[in-house]
Amino acid sequence: MVKYVGGVDSLEDKKNYGDLLMLAIKSILLALCGVVFPFLYIFFPSMYIVESIKEGILKIMGIFIGVCVLLGAIFNPIDGFVVFTIFGPLILVFHYMITSRRSRTHIFIAGAISFFASVIVLLVSFGINSEVLNSKKTLEGLINIYTNIGSEVGLADTEIFDITSRVSNLYYTFLQMAPSYLIISSLVFSYIVYISVVRTMFAKGRIIIGPPSLEFIKIPKEVIFLGFATIGVLYLLKFPQGTEIIYKNLLFILLFLLFVEGLAIIKFFMTSMKVSRFLQTIIIIVSLTFPFLQMLFIFLGAVDLFIDFRKIGV
């Protein structure tokens, strides 16, 4: 009888080791594919979060660190360091928040903060800060690249000057808007990782609390109203020194939130009308490409703050 139980334990241990080995193999394959298609890395942390909930965080983090070391040996030590810095804290945060049964809002926000902080730490560790990014040397280096390209393809000096002027303007605009870009990227990344974990766990027969699917996302009115109230105050104060950048970034984030709200409405009605997932995906991709559709979705999102389209079904 004791031998039988021991045999069962042995089989269970072998199965667990097999699952962990598959996790390591899938990680390496995903990293290899990520070299060609970087967006695939967005699915990297969810595998480890799922397994950490099932197997325990210490064992999974050990495998994760081993995979990072292996990636550094295969490609470049910097690659392994980047993967560890961005995804390591994210795995720990999601594991802790999920296993301690925190609210889905807290889990989502914690994931976004973790990703945001990891990117900042990574940039600082490489010596990339506001002083370096705003230096004339950095801009001159960027302009020289485009100047050399223009000379090689035989463009006239006036054309090269026009291109470099646009590059300079775009670069400074990017620097001003970088905070909102990073905040939005962190929110989107956290949502995708979180919902991927929830759906994978559901497929394995375990239900955990998760974020709503896209068609049921509802941005809190208080967040939007508070944001626009802040912008209104800055406007009345005639934008005190240093606040114009805050205004631009805050406005961009608010417009993004309204866009998501509008996109959720469209997704809700497409699902209700049983539009195929393929066509829904095409429509979503197109909406991200054409400014007119973006403005339309933002308008729908703004109106939905006062008229709940999904509730009244019109």
Side-chain angles (χ1 to χ4, degrees):
M1 187 70 177
V2 174
K3 290 183 180 179
Y4 175 73
V5 173
V8 172
D9 290 340
S10 177
L11 289 174
E12 186 66 25
D13 289 340
K14 288 181 180 180
K15 183 179 182 301
N16 291 339
Y17 285 128
D19 291 341
L20 297 177
L21 179 61
M22 283 302 300
L23 175 63
I25 292 173
K26 286 191 294 185
S27 300
I28 297 297
L29 292 176
L30 185 60
L32 291 172
C33 295
V35 174
V36 182
F37 305 104
F39 69 90
L40 291 176
Y41 273 109
I42 202 168
F43 302 106
F44 196 91
S46 60
M47 298 187 300
Y48 286 91
I49 297 168
V50 168
E51 292 300 326
S52 72
I53 296 172
K54 186 176 69 171
E55 299 291 342
I57 190 63
L58 293 178
K59 189 184 298 184
I60 296 304
M61 284 304 295
I63 294 177
F64 174 72
I65 293 172
V67 169
C68 291
V69 172
L70 188 58
L71 288 176
I74 295 174
F75 299 109
N76 188 298
I78 293 178
D79 295 331
F81 175 73
V82 169
V83 171
F84 175 80
T85 303
I86 293 180
F87 297 143
L90 192 71
I91 295 169
L92 290 172
V93 166
F94 266 107
H95 171 82
Y96 171 75
M97 297 296 285
I98 291 175
T99 54
S100 59
R101 300 181 182 278
R102 301 303 175 93
S103 70
R104 64 185 184 185
T105 301
H106 290 164
I107 295 172
F108 167 66
I109 293 176
I113 292 174
S114 172
F115 182 81
F116 183 92
S118 295
V119 172
I120 296 297
V121 169
L122 190 64
L123 292 174
V124 172
S125 66
F126 285 125
I128 302 174
N129 51 42
S130 58
E131 184 178 345
V132 172
L133 293 172
N134 286 287
S135 67
K136 290 184 178 180
K137 186 177 180 181
T138 301
L139 180 60
E140 288 174 357
L142 185 63
I143 289 175
N144 287 336
I145 292 174
Y146 283 91
T147 300
N148 294 333
I149 293 174
S151 299
E152 289 176 2
V153 298
L155 295 179
D157 291 342
T158 53
E159 292 176 312
I160 294 176
F161 177 78
D162 183 53
I163 291 174
T164 54
S165 296
R166 292 181 182 179
V167 169
S168 178
N169 292 332
L170 288 173
Y171 178 71
Y172 279 122
T173 300
F174 170 78
L175 290 183
Q176 288 184 338
M177 302 303 296
S180 59
Y181 295 158
L182 183 54
I183 290 173
I184 289 172
S185 298
S186 300
L187 293 173
V188 173
F189 192 85
S190 179
Y191 176 81
I192 293 175
V193 170
Y194 190 11
I195 202 165
S196 176
V197 169
V198 171
R199 290 178 177 178
T200 303
M201 292 299 294
F202 181 76
K204 292 178 178 290
R206 182 170 177 179
I207 298 176
I208 61 174
I209 188 171
S213 55
L214 178 58
E215 59 263 39
F216 295 110
I217 288 179
K218 186 73 175 174
I219 307 298
K221 295 180 181 180
E222 297 80 5
V223 173
I224 303 297
F225 291 153
L226 180 61
F228 279 109
T230 303
I231 290 176
V233 171
L234 292 176
Y235 176 79
L236 292 175
L237 295 176
K238 298 182 179 179
F239 300 109
Q241 186 177 4
T243 60
E244 188 174 350
I245 293 178
I246 296 176
Y247 151 73
K248 290 180 179 179
N249 282 273
L250 180 58
L251 179 60
F252 187 77
I253 292 172
L254 291 174
L255 292 177
F256 169 77
L257 294 177
L258 290 177
F259 171 81
V260 171
E261 183 86 4
L263 182 60
I265 296 169
I266 298 298
K267 179 72 166 61
F268 176 83
F269 284 107
M270 287 194 298
T271 303
S272 300
M273 293 185 290
K274 298 182 179 179
V275 177
S276 67
R277 288 192 176 184
F278 176 76
L279 185 56
Q280 289 186 33
T281 303
I282 295 298
I283 292 174
I284 291 173
I285 292 174
V286 170
S287 70
L288 297 172
T289 307
F290 293 95
F292 170 76
L293 290 178
Q294 294 171 12
M295 294 305 298
L296 177 61
F297 286 10
I298 289 172
F299 174 76
L300 284 175
V303 175
D304 193 59
L305 295 175
F306 306 96
I307 303 175
D308 192 336
F309 290 112
R310 285 164 287 191
K311 185 175 182 181
I312 62 178
V314 297

